[in-house]
Amino acid sequence: LAFFTSGMAMAEDKVIKISTTTSTQESGLLDVLLPALQKDTGITVKVIAKGTGAAIRDGIDGNVDAIFVHDRAREDSFVKDGYGTKRYAVMHNDFIIVGPTADTAKIKGTPEGADAFKKIAAAKALFVSRGDDSGTHAKEQELWKASGLPLETGTSAMEKDGKQVEIKSVHPAASTNWYLSVGQGMGKTLTLADEKQAYTLADRGTYIKYKFGREVPINLEILCEGGNQLANPYGFIPVSSSKHPHVKAEWAEQMAQWLVSAKGQQAIADYKLHGKQLFFPDAQK
């Protein structure tokens, strides 16, 4: 009986918490990866889905055992500052700019995201921003900066973990009438942009889920894709036990190794919706 009880306790201990982006959650990828991980390793994962900025803060505060995010600059800083043990390159997809079929800003076929943004601003076409300090929001600000347009810094408030948090970000100057910051995840942002027939920046995986994987699909079309500016790599980083001794470093590392293994990478490559691949493995090349 003692042996059985001890075994049960060990099994229960193989539970870790990760903070990840809404895009990995809403794309449906984790619904495939996590059961396979549990079958192979016995690890159960509790997922907290939020914007990349908030997910990284969870890691800094020691609230989770690992983070799975897509903002390379902040990921590298997280490791450099000693909060993460190592960044594992797991997969990538890309960002896309989507909008209504009418395409009033005439961005279709524009090769680079910053140029498409300039056209949207020139047309004063409605643009919906996530405005949530996520990796997608960070990429959006990067594109506005690359556009060469006059920018201004704004402050918005959104609720995170039951608290009101202020988020500072840049956006085009004098854009009050056409630029809408909503402080929401990718799925809700796509839904709102669809309702308003507006443009928005999205990750391809979540867009495919909302365009082809729902009974009532969104009607937005991909109008700008490809180009170096729209790359979107994802990294998995175990939280360092040197900073936070309570984290379950062994199980987080085991999850990292599974994700970059041939089996984990194949599971990522095989995940498709209506024949469309959402993510592309980066570790097995």
Side-chain angles (χ1 to χ4, degrees), residues 58-191:
D58 274 347
I60 290 172
D61 294 340
N63 295 330
V64 293
D65 304 297
I67 60 174
F68 192 8
V69 293
H70 62 140
D71 187 336
R72 186 58 190 269
R74 284 194 282 189
E75 292 169 47
D76 290 342
S77 294
F78 183 77
V79 174
K80 183 179 178 181
D81 294 340
Y83 292 104
T85 59
K86 176 183 177 180
R87 180 190 184 272
Y88 290 87
V90 176
M91 63 189 188
H92 72 274
N93 60 11
D94 60 348
F95 290 106
I96 51 179
I97 301 174
V98 301
T101 305
D103 188 22
T104 55
K106 306 301 180 188
I107 70 167
K108 188 171 184 178
T110 304
E112 292 292 351
D115 293 334
F117 273 22
K118 285 176 69 173
K119 291 181 179 181
I120 291 169
K124 296 183 179 180
L126 187 60
F127 183 91
V128 179
S129 167
R130 282 183 59 167
D132 63 346
D133 197 32
S134 62
T136 306
H137 186 212
K139 172 59 71 172
E140 180 210 316
Q141 293 175 84
E142 181 185 311
L143 293 174
W144 286 124
K145 291 174 183 177
S147 73
L149 294 167
L151 304 177
E152 59 188 23
T153 301
T155 302
S156 58
M158 65 173 292
E159 187 173 309
K160 289 187 176 181
D161 301 325
K163 299 177 182 179
Q164 286 292 313
V165 178
E166 283 193 348
I167 295 173
K168 290 185 178 180
S169 60
V170 297
H171 57 266
S175 58
T176 304
N177 293 333
W178 58 270
Y179 183 88
L180 179 61
S181 180
V182 295
Q184 297 289 344
M186 194 71 261
K188 290 183 178 179
T189 300
L190 280 167
T191 300

Side-chain angles (χ1 to χ4, degrees), residues 212-258:
F212 301 102
R214 290 158 56 98
E215 289 186 8
V216 182
I218 59 173
N219 291 318
L220 301 175
E221 302 295 332
I222 298 175
L223 299 172
C224 178
E225 60 184 326
N228 295 328
Q229 294 176 335
L230 295 174
N232 185 25
Y234 288 76
F236 184 91
I237 309 174
V239 174
S240 173
S241 58
S242 297
K243 286 282 188 182
H244 299 291
H246 66 275
V247 300
K248 297 175 180 176
E250 180 183 352
W251 309 130
E253 177 65 23
Q254 192 173 352
M255 179 174 179
Q257 293 296 335
W258 186 88

